[in-house]
Amino acid sequence: MSTSAVVVETDLAPLLDLVREDLVRSPGAVDVPRIVRVLRRQGRVLGAAATLELTSRIRDHVDGLGPLQALVEPGVTDLLVNDDGTVWVDAATGLHRTDVRLGPAEARDLAVRLATSGGRRLDDAVPWADAHLPSGIRFHAVLPPLSPGGAILSLRLPSTEQLHLDDLERLGTIDSSSRHLLQAIIAARAPFLVTGGTGTGKSTLLAAMLREAPHDERIVIVEDVLELSVDHPHVVHLQSRHANSEGAGTVDLTALVRQSLRMRPDRVVLGECRGGEIRELLQALNTGHEGGCGTVHANTAADVPARLEALGALGGLSRGALAAQVASALEVVIHLARRDGVRVLEEIALLRRDENGMLRTSTALRVRGGRLEEGPAAQALSDRVAGAPIPPGTAEASNPEPASPRPRALRRRPA
């Protein structure tokens, strides 16, 4: 290692303090002239290569993710710092631990700085924060004593590229059959939910599907933290606002869904249903706003009704009232899962009311062994999307009636 490199490594922390002081005196970018000026005040001179390296590292600590910046690579979706200082990365191959380790003070300083850059307060009085950073990163942090050790940070990185349905087919999330069906769902303006566990690609699939909406439609997206990036010419984003240091100024998702209805939307999109705002979304979809959609956390498609009932209860809806609202407002559930580190489409189901009037899901298509199998609701789904045929490759029905032919809309096309 060269002498300059040793100097860069050894003196990074003190130089950070000096650069921050210089930024207070003279706001602006962290660039080479600023770093050279700070070094000269110390009577030091570095070579061109070492100065460029130092400037990049200082910029990472001032404007970027500091010690985590080097972990930001193509394919990385999440950076996680645990309370013991270990750092984990979630990428295409799954979650794995890195060699980076943060001390308690280092983790806390990074968490506070990132929260501040996202316009959120994070200190002993408010020991957690959820923010959207200027770089597009979704940030969440929890400080001690809520965490038993050091600060806990969770960073969701924005995709470096906007994936289309064709891209998801290439990555193995969907196949050609399901891709055509998802396009048909959008074309038919069927209201739908994309469901799945954490990190299964719900937002990615939702954004890819919304890209297929006609370009003369106006899409209004409501989110707690901006996450959906849709490649469409007419998209409007609304983001909730947390309380300020005095506890005032909160604007929640419920209020934003109401506001979205006054913005002449063709499609109302709720980025993630996580509370009582589900009531406003259902009311919106029941007043002529077709094609609305959103995401919901659920372990399986069959668990979606129970999840919706729990969210409806937060909005003051009884089970019966929720079932009545959903029956006429939401139709399709598109469920994702993660198998061997790969995000895949697992099931497409329809939301229905059973003989007791309660909400249930009925499987239309399920992926097994890489092949689509029809379920009891296959014909109903086919009818809803105007008979859009599923291309070659669809398997035989999973529970076929021996004397009944395949539903016409789901038959294989002639080779």
Side-chain angles (χ1 to χ4, degrees):
M1 183 178 292
S2 67
T3 302
S4 296
V6 173
V7 172
V8 170
E9 182 66 28
T10 304
D11 294 349
L12 183 61
L15 279 172
L16 273 171
D17 294 335
L18 293 174
V19 170
R20 290 188 177 112
E21 292 174 4
D22 190 75
L23 285 167
V24 172
R25 290 192 298 267
S26 176
V30 178
D31 51 18
V32 170
R34 184 184 298 276
I35 300 304
V36 170
R37 182 169 66 246
V38 171
L39 289 172
R40 283 177 177 171
R41 287 174 186 162
Q42 293 184 307
R44 299 167 55 195
V45 177
L46 296 179
T51 302
L52 286 172
E53 179 187 354
L54 179 60
T55 301
S56 177
R57 297 191 62 196
I58 292 291
R59 186 183 297 117
D60 289 344
H61 282 76
V62 173
D63 299 326
L65 302 181
L68 306 182
Q69 190 67 47
L71 302 176
V72 179
E73 298 177 347
V76 173
T77 60
D78 295 85
L79 297 176
L80 309 171
V81 180
N82 292 344
D83 59 348
D84 60 358
T86 58
V87 179
W88 296 70
V89 166
D90 193 4
T93 55
L95 192 65
H96 64 274
R97 182 174 173 175
T98 71
D99 295 331
V100 179
R101 193 181 189 99
L102 304 186
E106 190 177 19
R108 183 186 179 97
D109 290 346
L110 177 61
V112 171
R113 177 172 65 80
L114 294 179
T116 301
S117 68
R120 297 289 189 262
R121 176 182 176 183
L122 183 63
D123 52 30
D124 291 340
V126 184
W128 67 81
D130 193 9
H132 184 265
L133 306 185
S135 59
I137 294 174
R138 180 172 177 175
F139 162 82
H140 182 268
V142 176
L143 297 181
L146 301 187
S147 65
I152 301 174
L153 288 78
S154 304
L155 302 171
R156 170 65 58 85
L157 307 184
S159 175
T160 55
E161 59 179 344
Q162 293 178 324
L163 298 180
H164 303 165
L165 290 179
D166 290 342
D167 300 319
L168 296 180
E169 180 182 351
R170 175 175 50 82
L171 293 172
T173 300
I174 58 177
D175 61 11
S176 61
S177 300
S178 52
R179 174 172 60 84
H180 282 276
L181 183 55
L182 296 178
Q183 290 171 326
I185 290 172
I186 288 291
R189 297 183 60 81
F192 64 92
L193 290 176
V194 180
T195 66
T198 301
T200 53
K202 297 185 295 298
S203 296
T204 300
L205 178 62
L206 178 57
M209 291 183 66
L210 289 173
R211 176 188 179 273
E212 303 295 325
H215 287 184
D216 60 354
E217 292 186 357
R218 176 177 170 90
I219 301 173
V220 181
I221 300 176
V222 179
E223 296 181 273
D224 189 37
V225 177
L226 294 179
E227 189 172 2
L228 277 175
S229 178
V230 181
D231 184 12
H232 188 279
H234 201 169
V235 177
V236 177
H237 291 270
L238 296 177
Q239 179 183 2
S240 65
R241 187 174 71 185
H242 293 234
N244 59 22
S245 57
E246 286 78 33
T250 299
V251 180
D252 60 16
L253 293 177
T254 299
L256 290 182
V257 172
R258 293 172 182 166
Q259 296 304 313
S260 71
L261 302 182
R262 299 178 175 88
M263 300 172 66
R264 199 263 175 218
D266 288 300
R267 295 178 189 260
V268 177
V269 180
L270 186 54
E272 181 180 341
C273 302
R274 61 173 66 184
E277 66 274 0
I278 187 69
R279 179 184 61 187
E280 273 63 33
L281 177 65
L282 294 175
Q283 291 176 351
L285 300 182
N286 274 315
T287 54
H289 294 87
E290 297 179 338
C293 51
T295 70
V296 170
H297 279 82
N299 293 327
T300 67
D303 292 334
V304 172
R307 178 67 172 153
L308 293 178
E309 288 170 2
L311 297 178
L314 296 175
L317 294 176
S318 66
R319 291 184 66 191
L322 176 88
Q325 290 272 3
V326 171
S328 57
L330 289 171
E331 298 181 39
V332 183
V333 172
I334 303 167
H335 188 76
L336 300 173
R338 196 159 183 170
R339 299 286 179 261
D340 299 323
V342 179
R343 300 170 177 88
V344 296
L345 174 67
E346 188 173 67
E347 183 178 348
I348 298 178
L350 295 185
L351 285 164
R352 292 177 167 179
R353 298 175 74 179
D354 61 19
E355 60 276 6
N356 298 317
M358 295 295 100
L359 195 62
R360 296 288 183 268
T361 55
S362 181
T363 300
L365 295 167
R366 179 182 286 113
V367 178
R368 285 180 178 171
R371 296 168 62 86
L372 281 177
E373 296 179 352
E374 294 177 20
Q379 182 64 62
L381 176 61
S382 175
D383 293 341
R384 179 59 182 90
V385 297
I390 291 186
T394 304
E396 297 296 325
S398 58
N399 294 302
E401 294 292 338
S404 301
R406 279 174 65 85
R408 181 185 61 209
L410 298 179
R411 288 178 185 165
R412 302 184 188 213
R413 288 178 178 175

